[in-house]
Amino acid sequence: MTKLGMAINLTRCIGCQTCAHACKMQNNVPTGMRWNRVITEGCDVPDGALGEYPNLYRTYLPIACQHCENPACQKVCPTGATYKDDQGRVEVDYDKCIGCRMCMAACPYNARVFNWEDPVRDPDFNYGDKSVPVRQKGVVEKCTLCKERTDRGEDPMCVACCPTRARVFGDLDDPSSEISKHLAGKKPTQLLAEKGTEPQVYYYE
């Protein structure tokens, strides 16, 4: 059985936000919203730093939907709009979404965003992959692992565009896949593993 996932090398991540911008352009994400973000750990402001001058340091943590094996968001969705597909991805059926935002409350990773108003884009037209569904006001959206690209056998755009090659994507259930080989012998961690959601995104150094 296929279980698509991602591995992120935190040592390689330089906080450049390329993944976040590539995701936004690929998936036609509206102004003011992000599916993929990179936070500076321990800081209250973007690109902040810890320590005292001149001994400053910063570490970055890329965050998006963790495509959990045991997704909390799916359990609380009253309409079945949130579902696990046959590739192991957590997806949203926008036609079934009623905007109750129960999934947003249940997600421990704050990975979802909500269209409170008619989406605004700059420039004022749809962009990105033409096969990505256009979301309307009143629905929840999030990272899809670039479903349209990965259905074609391509990497998610965040993986394809990362300048330091900090991300690896593939089938976690296939021991011969690049991601499985990449994680072999390492000690990867999962975000908030204690929540029991079993994320399919792994982090390592």
Side-chain angles (χ1 to χ4, degrees):
M1 186 172 178
T2 301
K3 185 167 74 173
L4 296 178
M6 190 177 296
I8 301 177
N9 186 331
L10 296 177
T11 302
R12 283 181 172 266
C13 178
I14 58 173
C16 66
Q17 305 282 345
T18 300
C19 55
H21 294 297
C23 166
K24 193 175 184 73
M25 293 305 299
Q26 163 69 20
N27 294 290
N28 195 27
V29 179
T31 300
M33 299 168 64
R34 286 193 178 184
W35 291 2
N36 196 333
R37 63 196 192 280
V38 182
I39 64 171
T40 309
E41 291 191 275
C43 299
D44 296 327
V45 295
D47 283 334
L50 300 177
E52 293 186 9
Y53 180 82
N55 301 309
L56 300 175
Y57 66 94
R58 57 171 59 144
T59 55
Y60 300 105
L61 180 65
I63 301 178
C65 176
Q66 301 292 294
H67 293 274
C68 304
E69 191 165 350
N70 182 32
C73 55
Q74 182 184 20
K75 292 181 178 180
V76 300
C77 180
T79 65
T82 294
Y83 66 98
K84 288 275 286 183
D85 71 7
D86 59 0
Q87 302 291 304
R89 299 167 296 202
V90 176
E91 303 292 352
V92 178
D93 184 333
Y94 305 112
D95 291 332
K96 290 183 178 179
C97 180
I98 58 173
C100 68
R101 305 186 303 285
M102 290 291 290
C103 57
M104 295 180 72
C107 175
Y109 308 103
N110 193 27
R112 293 173 173 237
V113 290
F114 185 70
N115 284 297
W116 290 97
E117 301 174 350
D118 289 326
V120 175
R121 293 177 174 86
D122 184 14
D124 190 22
F125 52 79
N126 291 321
Y127 42 78
D129 194 315
K130 65 179 181 180
S131 58
V132 173
V134 178
R135 288 81 60 195
Q136 304 300 324
K137 176 181 176 181
V139 300
V140 171
E141 55 184 79
K142 66 170 195 70
C143 161
T144 65
L145 277 180
C146 285
K147 183 181 187 306
E148 294 72 27
R149 285 179 59 86
T150 51
D151 279 350
R152 299 192 295 260
E154 301 169 346
D155 281 339
M157 191 58 82
C158 63
V159 176
C161 289
C162 179
T164 62
R165 300 183 181 177
R167 295 170 177 248
V168 179
F169 170 79
D171 184 1
L172 293 163
D173 277 354
D174 179 2
S176 65
S177 69
E178 182 182 3
I179 190 171
S180 294
K181 291 178 180 178
H182 209 77
L183 291 174
K186 294 183 174 65
K187 295 181 179 179
T189 60
Q190 298 162 302
L191 289 185
L192 302 177
E194 68 277 9
K195 298 293 184 181
T197 55
E198 300 181 43
Q200 290 165 209
V201 176
Y202 290 86
Y203 298 85
Y204 67 97
E205 296 182 352

